[in-house]
């Protein structure tokens, strides 16, 4: 029992389970708006399972492929995929089980969700390759999480309306923008290892400017989402608060690079929760 508990803790560390907070709110934001309120207990459970299995697949696949890179980065050298706590074969089984789990969950949601399940896995898995040949990897990560609202609305209505696309594009730029800030920590390692990233190619100052542009686009597309979805007061407040929180995030990083973790985890985690709560209030 003790060994099993330790293994579960190691896998929890491997995929950073707590970071699910970034994708879960926007799946349910789309579901709430699509249903104009509560979408049912069954879809709630299926939505959670889909989000968790998709994210576990993506993170597990990333850690499996990146174990050689992580072993050369002082920031990641103590991860379970590097220090031997989790073997490559265990990671491969974990990835396969979560991929199968995601497809099975999608099957029970509806036909469109099932047909989209494998393409979604291909997209979210491709992020792990991009840093090896393109600095656009940050945007691919954004696209991966940006699929969350699309998945949410498909689960409820089996369609993809314009407002969901606008919400998803906003999520894409939001994630890409904060990933740029987070990747500033690895700028020197990326250069040494020949990895492609915006910080290693354009430098820290330009990266921060690009991140600000991405987050301005985030606010713009979320505003368009609110307008097109015919949402009302609480949704507009959600956009305003998001803009303020993103501004605070950039303030933290500009003031002190050591606060990147606080900007990345705390600010963005609360942003998703606040946005979700206000959208729920808007649809009561």
């Amino acid at each position: 029992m003790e060994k099993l508990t330790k293994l579960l803790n190691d896998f929890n560390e491997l995929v950073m389970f707590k970071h699910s907070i970034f994708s879960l709110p926007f799946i349910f934001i789309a579901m709430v708006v699509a249903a104009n309120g509560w979408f049912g207990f069954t879809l709630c459970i299926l939505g959670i399972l889909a989000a968790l299995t998709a994210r576990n697949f993506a993170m597990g696949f990333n850690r499996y492929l990146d174990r050689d890179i992580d072993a050369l980065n002082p920031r990641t050298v103590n991860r379970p995929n590097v220090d031997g706590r989790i073997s490559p074969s265990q990671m491969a089984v974990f990835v396969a089980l979560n991929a199968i789990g995601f497809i099975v969950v999608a099957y029970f949601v509806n036909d469109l969700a099932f047909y989209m399940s494998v393409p979604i896995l291909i997209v979210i898995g491709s992020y792990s390759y991009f840093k090896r040949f393109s600095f656009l990897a940050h945007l691919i990560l954004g696209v991966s999480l940006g699929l969350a609202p699309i998945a949410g609305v498909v689960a409820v209505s089996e369609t993809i309306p314009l407002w969901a696309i606008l919400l998803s594009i906003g999520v894409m730029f939001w994630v890409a923008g904060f990933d740029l800030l987070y990747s500033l920590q690895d700028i020197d390692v990326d250069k040494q290892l020949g990895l492609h990233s915006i910080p290693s190619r354009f430098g820290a100052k330009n990266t921060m400017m690009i991140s600000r542009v991405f987050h301005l686009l985030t606010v713009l597309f979320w505003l368009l989402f609110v307008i097109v979805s015919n949402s009302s007061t609480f949704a507009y407040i959600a956009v305003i608060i998001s803009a303020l929180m993103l501004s605070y995030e950039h303030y933290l990083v500009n003031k002190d690079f050591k606060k990147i973790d606080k900007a990345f985890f705390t600010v963005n985690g609360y942003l998703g929760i606040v946005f979700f709560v206000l959208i729920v209030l808007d649809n009561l």
Side-chain angles (χ1 to χ4, degrees):
M1 189 64 182
E2 185 178 339
K3 288 185 178 180
L4 177 60
T5 301
K6 183 180 181 301
L7 184 62
L8 291 175
N9 287 333
D10 289 338
F11 271 108
N12 177 49
E13 183 181 342
L14 179 77
V15 300
M16 299 181 184
F17 191 76
K18 62 183 180 181
H19 294 179
S20 300
I21 194 66
F22 296 137
S23 57
L24 275 173
F26 284 92
I27 290 176
F28 289 115
I29 285 168
M31 294 174 80
V32 167
V33 175
N36 196 27
W38 178 236
F39 41 81
F41 184 75
T42 300
L43 276 182
C44 180
I45 297 299
L46 290 174
I48 293 172
L49 290 174
L52 296 183
T53 51
R55 191 183 176 283
N56 285 344
F57 163 80
M59 289 297 296
F61 189 60
N62 178 263
R63 296 291 187 259
Y64 178 82
L65 286 183
D66 281 4
R67 58 193 190 279
D68 57 334
I69 296 172
D70 289 345
L72 300 174
N73 187 338
R75 186 177 64 81
T76 59
V77 72
N78 293 318
R79 285 178 174 172
N81 60 322
V82 177
D83 62 15
R85 282 179 286 161
I86 299 178
S87 68
S89 59
Q90 287 174 318
M91 281 187 283
V93 171
F94 178 79
V95 169
L97 288 176
N98 277 281
I100 294 168
F102 177 73
I103 294 169
V104 170
V105 171
Y107 174 81
F108 284 105
V109 173
N110 58 48
D111 288 345
L112 182 56
F114 178 64
Y115 298 146
M116 290 176 60
S117 60
V118 173
I120 285 176
L121 289 176
I122 292 172
V123 171
I124 64 179
S126 67
Y127 161 72
S128 300
Y129 288 102
F130 264 77
K131 72 187 81 172
R132 300 168 189 269
F133 63 86
S134 173
F135 64 85
L136 295 177
H138 312 280
L139 281 169
I140 300 303
L141 179 63
V143 169
S144 298
L145 270 77
L147 288 171
I150 297 293
V153 73
V154 164
V156 173
S157 64
E158 216 168 342
T159 59
I160 305 177
L162 176 59
W163 63 260
I165 295 172
L166 295 170
L167 177 62
S168 293
I169 295 174
V171 172
M172 178 191 73
F173 282 119
W174 171 52
V175 172
F178 71 63
D179 186 59
L180 286 178
L181 298 179
Y182 189 71
S183 64
L184 287 170
Q185 299 174 102
D186 295 332
I187 186 170
D188 294 328
V189 173
D190 287 347
K191 289 179 179 178
Q192 291 169 9
L193 300 180
L195 296 174
H196 298 269
S197 69
I198 286 177
S200 65
R201 177 159 181 169
F202 298 104
K205 185 177 179 180
N206 287 329
T207 295
M208 293 173 75
M209 181 188 69
I210 294 169
S211 177
R212 285 194 290 271
V213 171
F214 280 2
H215 282 159
L216 283 171
L217 290 171
T218 297
V219 175
L220 172 62
F221 277 100
W222 283 347
L223 178 60
L224 291 172
F225 148 69
V226 170
I227 294 170
V228 173
S229 63
N230 294 316
S231 299
S232 54
T233 306
F234 284 110
Y236 283 99
I237 294 174
V239 174
I240 293 170
I241 292 178
S242 296
L244 293 173
M245 293 181 78
L246 290 173
S247 298
Y248 179 61
E249 177 179 358
H250 286 272
Y251 166 77
L252 287 175
V253 177
N254 281 326
K255 187 177 180 181
D256 186 354
F257 268 26
K258 294 179 180 178
K259 294 184 177 179
I260 287 177
D261 276 358
K262 181 179 179 181
F264 181 80
F265 300 121
T266 307
V267 176
N268 289 298
Y270 280 117
L271 187 154
I273 294 171
V274 170
F275 205 114
F276 170 69
V277 170
L278 288 167
I279 292 298
V280 169
L281 291 173
D282 201 64
N283 284 271
L284 285 177

